[in-house]
Amino acid sequence: MTEAFDAVDIIRIKRDHGILSPEQIDWTIDAYTRGAIADEQMAALNMAILLNGMDRAEISRWTAAMIASGERMDFSSLGRPTSDKHSTGGVGDKITLPLAPLVAVFGVAVPQLSGRGLGHTGGTLDKLESIPGWQPHLSNEDMLRQLAEVGAVICAAGTGLAPADKKLYALRDVTGTVEAIPLIASSIMSKKIAEGTGSLVLDVKVGSGAFMKDEARARELAETMVALGKDAGVNTVALLTDMSTPLGLTAGNAIEVEESVEVLAGGGPSDVVELTVRLAEEMLACAGVHDADPAAALKDGRAMDVWNRMIEAQGGDPRAALPVAKESEVVLAPADGVLVGLDALAVGVAAWRLGAGRARKEDRVQAGAGVRMHAKPGATVRAGEPLMTLLTDTPERFERAREALADAVVIAPEGSRPAQRLIIDRIA
Ligand code: URA
């Protein structure tokens, strides 16, 4: 087959700060997906994009080309609005679990395609798999049926959505080009738009435990993704939220499910409740529902009813006991004072090293492993009091988890206050 363009010419354009035409972009994504552009050529192009950027029209076309590489789901037959949430990932971020059933209470269907964890941030599917019997793989027909009958689905993304992104992401991962904002934004949004949601709320995390450590870059990513959503006709809003300290009091798998169920029962840590309610309000507003009171639906059991049905529909037993780690060790407060810092990255790495996360895609996670925190920033602590409990089935992991936590805790004199701002900004 005669190719419409030459990969080397495309690389040179971006290397020299040029703009790619829509036809050049369509060809690039298609040719790479079918193997007509070699990995080393695509790696060079990715690096040129990382260094020199792309304009809005280029990013939009790049995203559309990735969507066109695979199937596009369609929920219009449901006859009700759909809304989804995407978080850029953080430590203790279990918000999807209470949020999906909560939004469904108000008649907005939530098709939540989720992934597994890699590195220090946990994966929603890994957490839910700690529920006995629950299974993540649904056909498109089963997904549609569950959305119609229950209103919410959290399941694994099939391989048919944006296959170009899968190939491209694997290449970026090994060539130092993950961090390019045009590539991150198009990667995330191609999958969300192909999924077919009518509206989308993005939770873009900022801080040590997040992908984006500084606010300016997180803001740029959020603005780029909101623009892409709007270009594709998906009503999209982003919140910038803090990830300098873990969300809630648990980082792991089963222990995060347990905390989510506490939130669904009307309790749970205040930061998890606040972010769940705020994201629910944003999702409902994006879907055209303006008079809902999500906080009340957590208190009165309506969200819990949907959760129970959602878990049962996927083979899980929502009332079964969750797995518990075989071994535990306590980390004590080193001094008296106010806890002003509990570093998200350090806690995430500790949970990962305890067995809650995986280093390679094929690794298995331990359902019971993780870190249970006994105090959040702002709490007054006494020397020798338990600050955290480390949980694992394999006690030889404790030492490396403790090493990860060596500088995680900052205790200041009484009267000090941590800088606390869970929701930093809203971008629409
Ligand atoms: N998550 C994605 O899906 N893609 C990226 O590029 C980065 C994070």
Side-chain angles (χ1 to χ4, degrees):
M1 149 179 190
T2 316
E3 298 292 346
F5 297 97
D6 182 341
V8 180
D9 293 337
I10 304 268
I11 297 165
R12 285 196 184 115
I13 293 172
K14 279 322 296 178
R15 183 197 65 190
D16 297 341
H17 300 263
I19 304 289
L20 296 176
S21 71
E23 296 74 23
Q24 286 168 330
I25 289 173
D26 292 351
W27 177 79
T28 300
I29 297 294
D30 177 57
Y32 181 58
T33 311
R34 58 186 166 77
I37 294 181
D39 275 348
E40 56 271 26
Q41 294 176 313
M42 198 63 178
L45 179 60
N46 285 341
M47 187 58 84
I49 292 170
L50 183 138
L51 296 173
N52 298 335
M54 274 180 150
D55 71 15
R56 180 169 163 182
E58 285 178 296
I59 304 173
S60 189
R61 190 70 179 213
W62 188 272
T63 307
M66 292 217 291
I67 295 168
S69 74
E71 66 173 320
R72 210 166 163 166
M73 298 179 75
D74 179 6
F75 300 120
S76 56
S77 64
L78 283 174
R80 58 176 129 157
T82 49
S83 193
D84 192 6
K85 184 244 358 175
H86 177 82
S87 158
T88 56
V91 178
D93 185 359
K94 70 274 298 170
I95 302 291
T96 293
L97 277 57
L99 181 63
L102 176 59
V103 170
V105 165
F106 299 96
V108 173
V110 185
Q112 175 84 53
L113 297 179
S114 295
R116 294 179 194 284
L118 192 62
H120 74 276
T121 58
T124 298
L125 300 182
D126 294 325
K127 299 178 214 280
L128 283 167
E129 275 178 332
S130 62
I131 301 174
W134 187 86
Q135 72 93 20
H137 301 291
L138 296 189
S139 66
N140 290 356
E141 296 71 42
D142 287 343
M143 189 176 174
L144 201 60
R145 185 173 328 114
Q146 187 171 325
L147 280 176
E149 289 170 6
V150 180
V153 174
I154 304 174
C155 65
T159 50
L161 289 183
D165 176 62
K166 284 197 183 65
K167 195 168 172 198
L168 203 53
Y169 191 79
L171 181 68
R172 289 166 55 211
D173 208 20
V174 294
T175 54
T177 51
V178 166
E179 292 83 355
I181 285 179
L183 299 179
I184 301 171
S186 56
S187 167
I188 292 173
M189 293 302 289
S190 63
K191 287 171 284 193
K192 287 290 159 187
I193 297 165
E195 171 202 277
T197 186
S199 57
L200 177 65
V201 176
L202 299 161
D203 181 3
V204 179
K205 302 284 187 200
V206 188
S208 77
F211 201 47
M212 293 287 156
K213 312 287 180 203
D214 82 87
E215 193 177 315
R217 279 183 58 78
R219 190 177 292 279
E220 188 186 336
L221 176 63
E223 285 168 355
T224 307
M225 292 196 291
V226 168
L228 284 175
K230 290 189 174 155
D231 286 350
V234 178
N235 197 5
T236 308
V237 163
L239 296 184
L240 286 191
T241 71
D242 180 58
M243 190 30 71
S244 58
T245 199
L247 264 174
L249 290 165
T250 55
N253 296 306
I255 54 175
E256 290 200 36
V257 173
E258 180 193 292
E259 188 168 274
S260 303
V261 171
E262 281 167 24
V263 171
L264 287 158
S270 59
D271 57 344
V272 180
V273 176
E274 181 185 340
L275 191 53
T276 303
V277 169
R278 177 62 190 270
L279 286 166
E281 286 166 353
E282 294 286 354
M283 286 170 74
L284 290 164
C286 274
V289 177
H290 297 283
D291 56 353
D293 181 358
L298 288 177
K299 293 274 177 219
D300 64 19
R302 280 177 292 162
M304 182 73 97
D305 287 345
V306 179
W307 163 264
N308 287 338
R309 288 193 288 125
M310 181 180 87
I311 297 302
E312 279 164 358
Q314 286 169 250
D317 178 355
R319 290 165 196 88
L322 293 168
V324 175
K326 294 194 182 83
E327 308 283 340
S328 64
E329 261 192 31
V330 175
V331 176
L332 303 175
D336 290 348
V338 176
L339 181 66
V340 288
L342 180 56
D343 186 65
L345 179 61
V347 173
V349 171
W352 176 29
R353 290 184 179 173
L354 288 163
R358 54 172 68 75
R360 293 167 309 155
K361 277 210 247 346
E362 50 285 0
D363 292 348
R364 286 172 66 86
V365 300
Q366 292 182 22
V371 178
R372 196 184 280 285
M373 290 151 269
H374 304 296
K376 297 277 289 179
T380 301
V381 295
R382 297 272 159 253
E385 246 176 37
L387 261 194
M388 285 174 258
T389 302
L390 312 184
L391 302 161
T392 185
D393 293 334
T394 39
E396 61 276 15
R397 291 171 178 263
F398 282 130
E399 192 182 335
R400 296 216 57 225
R402 281 186 181 273
E403 279 168 25
L405 292 168
D407 300 316
V409 172
V410 183
I411 295 177
E414 276 181 43
S416 310
R417 286 163 67 92
Q420 269 174 328
R421 41 164 205 171
L422 178 58
I423 296 166
I424 299 164
D425 207 351
R426 176 179 190 274
I427 291 159

